[in-house]
Amino acid sequence: ANFASHNDPAGEVRGAPDIVSADPADVIPESDVLVMPLPSFAYPGTLAAIKPYLRKGTFLGVTPGQGGFDWTAGEVLGDLVKDLTIFSIMPMPFNCRIAEFGKRVEVQTFKRRYRVGVVPESKAPEAIKINEALFGHTEFVGHFINCTLYPINAIIHPQRLYRLCKDWTPGTTLPENPLFYESMDQESTDYMDAVNKELMKVAEALTEQGLTTNVPHIYDFLSWVYSDVPMKNMIELFAKNDAYKGFRCPFKQVDGGWEPDFQNRYFTEDIPLGLCIYKGVADIVGVETPMMDKVLEWAQKGMGKEYIVGGRLMGKDVGETTAPQRFGITTVEGLEGKHDKRAPDEEAPMQPATKVPRE
């Protein structure tokens, strides 16, 4: 890996894994700690593949750990999830790009400050210790719903794209593919701010209705993550931050210019597995979200989907989301769940590892 010069470490870092395999049977049985650095849409398939090889007491980390990971894990793993400790790592440790598949990556930023949610919460000290050993300073955020609602990609990507593409219509083209972050402007950050404040109202309503939730503003969170970056506002947070250099918009080139790529993960992940979750929880606690609705209505039209109808998450494609309604959760009590209330004597001890023969 080649780490950009502002990182510690910087320059070339070499490592040799003990084993690399596409077969979970080769790597999962001996693992006490698993880390899944995956987009939300990859959770179900990955969990299903590793399920037969998971041991009681295993720590299963996911980063950035949003998209309703605890709900998906419960659905895919069933009762086995009660024998595991799952934890969400926010934000993603690395901003990087593959330079040569399986051989080399370019690391723009290695972050050193994290927040985690843990199920069960009694395992938080151990999960924090693991994450600090792997990545850096770590703090606990409380109930896992905080991870699901934390303001990261779903606050940034959809609102930025709405700003850039809201006036685009099929059959027309955009004149350029700008730098996604370095050309950040006030209108983009105004939309982010509006949606984030709606999300904070959702968190306040959850707390008032019995589920303590603390969702920060994205500026405050990322200022904490990037504490060494001088910034005075949201525009500078993105435009002057080395972590965000060089990334273009998810546009595709066509005759005469560019058009938004509605198959890109900034849409296919951050809408159904991001904004739709925020909206679903807002519906449960009765909070109006006019800016969020505007972005969702615009995005679903381009994607050919129907998530919200009449300002409510009740469209025909809700089943493709990971909103709580998708899992049959329609109350605050359902959001709170039972998974984080195991007594210490109910927690699963670590099973001994199964040695995998090596040839």
Side-chain angles (χ1 to χ4, degrees):
N2 182 41
F3 286 71
S5 60
H6 64 276
N7 292 289
D8 180 17
E12 187 175 82
V13 176
R14 290 180 174 269
D18 180 57
I19 183 172
V20 176
S21 176
D23 186 349
D26 293 337
V27 293
I28 302 302
E30 290 187 47
S31 301
D32 298 327
V33 177
L34 303 172
V35 178
M36 294 168 43
L38 296 172
S40 302
F41 61 77
Y43 294 162
T46 302
L47 289 170
I50 68 176
K51 180 179 179 179
Y53 311 103
L54 291 170
R55 291 182 287 119
K56 289 184 178 181
T58 298
F59 280 74
L60 176 58
V62 62
T63 183
Q66 300 195 287
F69 178 72
D70 54 335
W71 302 329
T72 299
E75 182 177 73
V76 176
L77 300 179
D79 288 342
L80 176 60
V81 77
K82 298 177 183 178
D83 295 329
L84 310 173
T85 295
I86 63 174
F87 62 106
S88 165
I89 306 164
M90 305 179 299
M92 287 278 285
F94 302 100
N95 288 11
C96 57
R97 290 289 183 269
I98 296 172
E100 186 177 0
F101 183 77
K103 294 185 177 181
R104 184 167 61 90
V105 295
E106 297 291 331
V107 180
Q108 184 65 28
T109 293
F110 176 24
K111 308 177 189 82
R112 304 313 294 260
R113 305 181 84 181
Y114 302 89
R115 289 177 179 159
V116 298
V118 187
V119 178
E121 291 184 21
S122 58
K123 290 289 189 179
E126 293 173 71
I128 289 171
K129 185 176 180 180
I130 290 168
N131 200 67
E132 289 190 327
L134 290 171
F135 303 120
H137 173 78
T138 304
E139 298 178 1
F140 180 56
V141 297
H143 192 280
F144 210 86
I145 193 66
N146 289 283
C147 304
T148 299
L149 298 180
Y150 234 64
I152 310 182
N153 288 346
I155 291 295
I156 303 170
H157 298 156
Q159 284 62 246
R160 173 66 168 148
L161 289 168
Y162 176 74
R163 156 68 180 94
L164 294 170
C165 306
K166 60 185 173 66
D167 296 324
W168 173 85
T169 57
T172 65
T173 58
L174 299 165
E176 62 175 340
N177 185 355
L179 289 162
F180 193 84
Y181 298 103
E182 290 164 84
S183 63
M184 190 67 67
D185 61 8
Q186 188 64 51
E187 187 176 355
S188 297
T189 59
D190 285 347
Y191 294 146
M192 295 178 200
D193 177 69
V195 172
N196 203 151
K197 286 177 177 175
E198 292 173 354
L199 184 61
M200 292 167 74
K201 289 181 180 178
V202 172
E204 291 169 4
L206 277 170
T207 299
E208 291 170 358
Q209 295 177 36
L211 177 54
T212 301
T213 310
N214 182 19
V215 172
H217 195 282
I218 190 170
Y219 179 77
D220 297 325
F221 175 54
L222 292 182
S223 295
W224 178 81
V225 171
Y226 301 110
S227 57
D228 57 339
V229 177
M231 63 184 84
K232 298 191 293 290
N233 52 51
M234 288 268 283
I235 295 175
E236 291 186 358
L237 165 65
F238 296 113
K240 296 185 177 182
N241 191 336
D242 287 336
Y244 295 114
K245 283 186 174 179
F247 298 99
R248 295 281 174 182
C249 295
F251 295 170
K252 56 185 179 182
Q253 195 162 15
V254 296
D255 289 342
W258 302 82
E259 64 181 25
D261 181 2
F262 289 101
Q263 298 304 311
N264 183 274
R265 69 178 181 85
Y266 280 18
F267 291 101
T268 60
E269 180 174 14
D270 294 322
I271 300 300
L273 315 181
L275 277 189
C276 284
I277 295 179
Y278 300 167
K279 180 60 182 175
V281 178
D283 283 354
I284 289 172
V285 295
V287 171
E288 297 296 319
T289 55
M291 187 68 232
M292 198 181 299
D293 294 357
K294 188 178 294 186
V295 176
L296 279 170
E297 287 169 354
W298 164 78
Q300 69 181 17
K301 183 177 180 181
M303 297 169 69
K305 300 292 184 180
E306 181 187 82
Y307 302 123
I308 64 171
V309 176
R312 299 275 295 178
L313 190 76
M314 53 187 297
K316 63 180 179 62
D317 296 313
V318 170
E320 299 176 8
T321 76
T322 51
Q325 290 82 351
R326 147 79 172 74
F327 300 93
I329 300 171
T330 57
T331 65
V332 173
E333 291 76 15
L335 291 171
E336 185 175 15
K338 303 294 183 184
H339 53 46
D340 60 339
K341 295 187 175 181
R342 278 174 266 163
D345 60 358
E346 294 178 323
E347 292 168 7
M350 178 73 73
Q351 284 186 336
T354 301
K355 290 293 182 182
V356 177
R358 304 276 194 261
E359 293 185 0

